[in-house]
Amino acid sequence: MCGRFTQTSTLAELQKLFAFEEQPNLAPRANVAPTQDIGIIRLENDGKTHWRSARWGLIPAWAKDLSIGAKTINARAETLAEKPAFREAFARRRCLIPADGFYEWKSDSGGKQPYRITLSDGRPFAFAGLWEVWRDPAEDRRIESCSIVTTEAAPAIREIHHRMPVILEGAAAAVWLEPEAETAKLQALLAPYAGELRASPVSQAVNRVANDSLDLLKPLPADAPRADGRGQFSLL
């Protein structure tokens, strides 16, 4: 799964990568968490990519309230076309979710040790995402929400966690946004990342949603006690 991620790239870096014209007021985010608003990239009717904001945790149009979003932060690649919560969005409302890292927790006898996982060179990339529109009947307001698509973990990080978000780059990212892309072509993209990944243990301070300091990105020193069976570790 993917329950936390990072987006610390600059606006200029993201505009170069995703070719949108909007000027969002971006601040580095070291601990993006479910139900928060995040940036997504969509291909819209004008044929251009646009930066939009969406709540992380997809709320299907048929939902009675937004609480379902806490259970739909991830969409399994294997069942996108079947699950009622995701099949309509998979067919019609696909997006890219900019990021430059994500967190996974490795379980061991000593507890759970968080790791930040990035591309080997640290460059920004995109998660495959889905988005949806839900209208709040109580307040008559429109809420756009999204989910990150996940797949089996790449071999390099499988010992940390058995799932990972789908990472798309270049032509694959463009295909994911194509409105008329065939289902088989889309599903072929939803594979474990084939490039090089880097996984670094980080402070358990990332466990608290309120913590969003860039210090969270710092790898633990090699001799630091950790929560994965290599010493005692206290929650910060």
Side-chain angles (χ1 to χ4, degrees):
M1 65 172 292
C2 176
R4 304 284 178 83
F5 69 92
T6 65
Q7 201 307 95
T8 63
S9 303
T10 67
L11 176 59
E13 289 173 323
L14 295 177
Q15 286 178 320
K16 181 178 180 180
L17 187 60
F18 298 110
F20 60 87
E21 297 179 353
E22 287 76 23
Q23 299 284 324
N25 184 18
L26 296 183
R29 301 179 68 180
N31 196 12
V32 183
T35 75
Q36 295 177 351
D37 287 342
I38 63 176
I40 66 173
I41 305 296
R42 301 196 311 228
L43 183 65
E44 300 190 351
N45 292 335
D46 61 1
K48 298 180 180 180
T49 49
H50 292 271
W51 175 283
R52 302 299 185 213
S53 180
R55 177 188 170 101
W56 184 13
L58 188 141
I59 309 167
W62 44 259
K64 294 182 179 180
D65 57 59
L66 53 74
S67 63
I68 191 175
K71 301 176 181 179
T72 52
I73 62 171
N74 293 158
R76 292 178 65 92
E78 298 87 344
T79 56
L80 288 182
E82 306 166 11
K83 292 290 186 180
F86 303 121
R87 63 190 177 199
E88 185 70 16
F90 177 49
R92 302 175 184 274
R93 287 177 286 278
R94 297 180 299 277
C95 65
L96 302 173
I97 299 176
D100 50 31
F102 62 97
Y103 296 105
E104 294 292 359
W105 281 255
K106 180 181 179 182
S107 297
D108 208 315
S109 57
K112 290 187 175 182
Q113 172 61 49
Y115 285 76
R116 181 174 181 244
I117 300 166
T118 66
L119 304 192
S120 60
D121 60 3
R123 70 183 186 277
F125 54 86
F127 299 135
L130 307 174
W131 68 278
E132 190 56 272
V133 179
W134 179 75
R135 186 163 293 278
D136 184 345
E139 301 183 17
D140 192 30
R141 62 181 176 129
R142 171 189 171 103
I143 296 178
E144 295 189 353
S145 59
C146 63
S147 181
I148 294 173
V149 181
T150 66
T151 187
E152 294 181 358
I157 61 170
R158 199 166 290 160
E159 69 171 20
I160 298 174
H161 197 273
H162 67 287
R163 303 286 296 180
M164 70 173 291
V166 172
I167 294 175
L168 299 178
E169 297 183 285
V175 170
W176 182 250
L177 294 182
E178 288 180 6
E180 306 303 324
E182 296 178 358
T183 299
K185 193 175 183 180
L186 295 170
Q187 290 180 326
L189 303 175
L190 306 180
Y193 185 66
E196 294 186 11
L197 297 170
R198 179 174 60 205
S200 303
V202 294
S203 168
Q204 284 195 352
V206 74
N207 294 350
R208 296 191 61 207
V209 173
N211 293 335
D212 197 22
S213 165
L214 293 182
D215 287 341
L216 297 178
L217 307 181
K218 297 178 180 178
L220 292 179
D223 59 351
R226 306 221 303 255
D228 60 359
R230 303 184 189 182
Q232 300 299 314
F233 204 105
S234 299
L235 286 173
L236 300 179

